[in-house]
Amino acid sequence: MEPLWVFVGALLAATAVHVAGFLSIDCGLDAKFNGRRDTYTDIAYVSDDPYVDGGMNHRVAAKFDVSSRSENRRTLRSFPSGIRNCYTLPTESGGKYLVRMEFFYGDYDGKTSPSFEVHLGSNYWDTFRNSDFWWSEAIFVAWGSWVPVCLVNTGGGTPFVSTVELRPLLPSLYPQVTVDESISAFARKNLGADTIYRFPDDPYDRFWEWEVSSLWANLSTKKTIQREDSFAVPIPVLQTAVAPVNNGTVLHVGTWNTYKSTFEFKFFLHFSDIQNTQLRQFDIYLNDYEWYKKYSPPYLTADYVYSTGWYKATEGTYNITLAATNRSMLPPMVNAYEVFNRIPHDTPRTSPKDCYDFDFDFLRNMILNFSFRNISFITQITKF
């Protein structure tokens, strides 16, 4: 299905504040070090013992176990036994959350980095594919007072994980996400900068990775930018942007290739014009299709353009290009972008609050008390 581009006027900025309810799990961390604070973010990390059964604690190989590396990437938990091993994360039914898992192999077992799947409840989320370091992020609406995130052994080696992080989101963020439709971050880029932003610059602790290209000219400003509420892009991210080099008329934003032909994508482009001297107007193309015509980013005000439908290219390659119109006096520009793929749900979710004759939390506690968190049965219960 071909998506339609939607343009939404920017809303009044919200003050960036720390959002309560962060859960940051340092997998493999000895419980006696609970509350250890991250050097860079000052976020407190806890041991994973209360959230998972089974598995083995490890430290990365000595050559990677150095003080210059973040502490939560120096320990990990592996799962040599069982097909499915799950972390049980506390949530509020109906609440919106970001969950992120980080994986740093660090040659902990002296073998080859494995491949395995990651599931959100009973639904496929992503695949770890023989990488040294990788992270995956999902946004979902909780369907109960706890949500399992699971590592699934697919025969490619022993699954492992370094950190599991849960961040509550405001209901207004990512309005496309519902209890029956979750999304996985395929890419999130901060353009025109050389810094990765996360908390505290982003109060929701999203990763905004920087990206550069010899085809881009970097733009920046120190002026205040008015933020909007649907995506709440951090102000430092909006204070940089890219345009074509040499005042070109076409800006190639990016090309993405998917490793799964079944993936469906949504694209989110974030704008705030930081030059207000002349008209800037351009058309937006996705894989050579004209998706939005004559767009002009507002001056020092956050805005966005996104695809409402899910898009699946037959050949598995995706391109986004911005082309200046004949009226435009300035080249096209963009500040940041996000690409999400869909997490299909096997069955419609039902909030446990709607199951008047079924004590969901009682069953959950019974299962945890009997240490059944690491078997596949638990993920089937989340379908009630």
Side-chain angles (χ1 to χ4, degrees), residues 102-375:
E102 291 186 46
F103 308 83
F104 180 62
Y105 174 61
D107 201 23
Y108 80 92
D109 60 358
K111 299 179 181 179
T112 302
S113 179
S115 64
F116 52 87
E117 290 184 357
V118 181
H119 289 194
L120 178 62
S122 61
N123 300 305
Y124 173 84
W125 165 6
D126 213 337
T127 298
F128 180 84
R129 296 175 295 140
N130 309 106
S131 301
D132 291 326
F133 173 73
W134 176 71
W135 60 270
S136 188
E137 205 176 86
I139 299 175
F140 67 96
V141 172
W143 55 92
S145 59
W146 59 289
V147 167
V149 292
C150 306
L151 308 176
V152 180
N153 191 325
T154 56
T158 300
F160 73 94
V161 60
S162 302
T163 66
V164 180
E165 298 166 317
L166 186 70
R167 308 291 188 244
L169 303 178
L170 291 177
S172 59
L173 285 173
Y174 298 96
Q176 301 79 10
V177 177
T178 68
V179 71
D180 289 322
E181 186 164 276
S182 307
I183 59 177
S184 172
F186 191 80
R188 182 184 293 114
K189 299 295 184 179
N190 168 29
L191 306 179
D194 58 1
T195 301
I196 297 177
Y197 288 107
R198 58 174 300 187
F199 184 86
D201 295 288
D202 187 330
Y204 306 103
D205 197 29
R206 293 165 293 184
F207 285 179
W208 296 88
E209 298 179 315
W210 59 276
E211 185 174 11
V212 297
S213 170
S214 60
L215 301 177
W216 296 343
N218 294 341
L219 309 175
S220 65
T221 184
K222 294 183 179 180
K223 294 181 179 179
T224 301
I225 294 176
Q226 189 178 60
R227 202 174 67 175
E228 55 76 37
D229 293 333
S230 293
F231 300 100
V233 178
I235 298 304
V237 173
L238 294 171
Q239 288 175 322
T240 62
V242 295
V245 293
N246 302 320
N247 286 320
T249 59
V250 176
L251 175 63
H252 178 66
V253 178
T255 297
W256 303 272
N257 294 293
T258 176
Y259 60 89
K260 271 187 174 289
S261 60
T262 56
F263 276 178
E264 298 174 284
F265 290 92
K266 285 186 178 181
F267 301 87
F268 301 79
L269 303 182
H270 300 292
F271 299 96
S272 178
D273 201 337
I274 55 182
Q275 297 173 315
N276 194 34
T277 55
Q278 295 172 301
L279 174 67
R280 190 192 307 273
Q281 186 184 80
F282 49 86
D283 300 326
I284 302 173
Y285 293 85
L286 172 60
N287 283 13
D288 298 324
Y289 290 96
E290 188 176 59
W291 293 109
Y292 195 89
K293 298 183 65 174
K294 299 180 180 179
Y295 175 74
S296 292
Y299 179 60
L300 297 183
T301 300
D303 210 352
Y304 53 84
V305 174
Y306 70 93
S307 51
T308 58
W310 291 102
Y311 185 84
K312 181 166 67 173
T314 305
E315 69 283 1
T317 299
Y318 302 83
N319 298 279
I320 290 183
T321 303
L322 313 181
T325 66
N326 291 333
R327 294 185 60 234
S328 184
M329 302 302 293
L330 292 174
M333 54 79 67
V334 62
N335 305 72
Y337 67 79
E338 297 176 275
V339 181
F340 290 95
N341 61 282
R342 185 182 177 205
I343 299 179
H345 288 191
D346 294 337
T347 58
R349 299 292 188 190
T350 301
S351 168
K353 294 178 181 178
D354 296 331
C355 302
Y356 299 110
D357 298 323
F358 184 78
D359 194 335
F360 185 88
D361 289 325
F362 172 79
L363 181 57
R364 177 255 189 188
N365 291 330
M366 181 183 71
I367 292 171
L368 297 188
N369 288 337
F370 282 93
S371 299
F372 288 161
R373 277 174 290 188
N374 62 337
I375 60 176

